[in-house]
Amino acid sequence: MNKEKLIDKACALSRPYAVTDGASFKLKKVDPSDTGPFSDEDKPKAREALAEGIELLAELQDTLYAHDRWSVLLIFQAMDAAGKDGAIKHVMSGVNPQGCQVASFKVPSSEELDHDFLWRCQRHLPERGRIGIFNRSYYEDVLVVKVHPELLDKQKLPDAVRGKGIWDTRYKDIRHFEQYLANNGTIVRKFFLHVSRDEQKKRFLERIEDPAKNWKFSAGDIAERAHWKSYMDAYEDMIQATATKTSPWYVVPADNKWFTRIVVAAAVIDALSSLKLAYPTVTRAQKDALHAARAALEAE
Ligand code: ATP
Ligand code: MG
């Protein structure tokens, strides 16, 4: 398939899952088991399309790198076992590792807690020409921390700034921060991999039963599962408050990993192709220098 056609297909596939204006967003309206235009029998076709998409992504990333002006930040958030790691691994499998960096954000260290909540993430922002991936992010500070407000105690905030309005303040700070990034040439795309509670249970059981997957399971995951409703509320509030045209959230159905991956790849293709990237053009003087270099090499 030609490049333009593939880009059009990627846009058509991913855009239904983009939230560009959070105001009216309702999480209930997104079905985690949705597979868009694909039925179960279409799986091989979807896999083929993903492979084509990954090839195109590699080409676009190469231009991003050579162009060396824009950078792209992809943020992944999800409940445990929703498939963040697999989506990142598959979607980025074709790209040049030199142009891509992944940062994972876990429970903050004491050094990190000694700073504002954006600090640790800012240190991992992608350079120009690169794709940066956040596996979890500053959004944890309006998710896990909102579900467990006692975590705020560890953040050593002065009493005067940790009143009731703290979540709204954080949403606003995040909106401004992402707008600031956009203003400086970093485009941000955010992915919430939306898995159902039943599918999570199935995946946890697989992790317990399959020795090769035991390492992925932690007892703490069950404890968080018990707070499912609070997490869904926190996700919905967060998306409502931080989905914007410049920095959209993609709420990606995640009960079928093959579908999650193809939507994520399509959204990244949409983002990169929107930048109208081009390889740097060579000036007259540079062209003359190239000719001179060739002449010198041939005269050896
Ligand atoms: P895996 O797929 O391997 O389980 P993971 O991203 O869940 O990957 P873990 O080490 O299991 O990695 O979990 C990281 C934990 O850190 C999550 O439970 C997350 O909520 C927590 N965390 C991340 N950021 C913060 C934060 N700012 N404050 C408190 N907890 C945080
Ligand atoms: Mg985990």
Side-chain angles (χ1 to χ4, degrees), residues 142 152 160-173:
V142 292
L152 270 181
V161 302
R162 60 163 292 185
K164 262 195 148 95
I166 187 162
W167 310 117
D168 285 336
T169 306
R170 285 188 172 187
Y171 296 141
K172 192 163 89 196
D173 289 340

Side-chain angles (χ1 to χ4, degrees), residues 55 61 70 100 127 138 161 179 196 203 217 223 281:
E55 234 172 81
Q61 183 228 6
W70 293 98
C100 178
E127 294 165 44
Y138 43 84
V161 302
Q179 185 59 53
S196 68
R203 292 184 190 175
F217 185 76
T281 50

Side-chain angles (χ1 to χ4, degrees), residues 4 8 10 22-23 33 38 44 83 92 112 132 137 231 234 275 293 296:
E4 295 314 313
D8 288 347
S33 68
F38 302 106
M92 303 321 277
E112 289 166 349
S137 64
Y231 270 107
L275 297 177

Side-chain angles (χ1 to χ4, degrees), residues 167-229:
W167 310 117
D168 285 336
T169 306
R170 285 188 172 187
Y171 296 141
K172 192 163 89 196
D173 289 340
I174 289 172
R175 281 197 306 271
H176 287 171
F177 175 59
E178 290 176 353
Q179 185 59 53
Y180 163 82
L181 292 178
N183 294 345
N184 286 277
T186 297
I187 67 160
V188 184
R189 295 293 181 268
K190 307 170 290 196
F191 298 92
F192 169 44
L193 308 190
H194 184 29
V195 75
S196 68
R197 196 157 187 262
D198 284 349
E199 180 63 23
Q200 190 198 49
K201 180 175 168 180
K202 219 172 99 199
R203 292 184 190 175
F204 278 173
L205 287 171
E206 269 166 30
R207 289 179 175 191
I208 292 167
E209 271 146 35
D210 180 352
K213 288 185 179 172
N214 283 172
W215 65 275
K216 288 190 184 178
F217 185 76
S218 97
D221 294 351
I222 297 283
E224 286 323 289
R225 177 176 165 79
H227 298 281
W228 192 272
K229 170 82 172 68

Side-chain angles (χ1 to χ4, degrees), residues 124-138:
H124 293 276
L125 288 171
E127 294 165 44
R128 297 199 189 282
R130 312 274 168 117
I131 299 177
I133 295 174
F134 284 180
N135 185 349
R136 303 188 187 271
S137 64
Y138 43 84

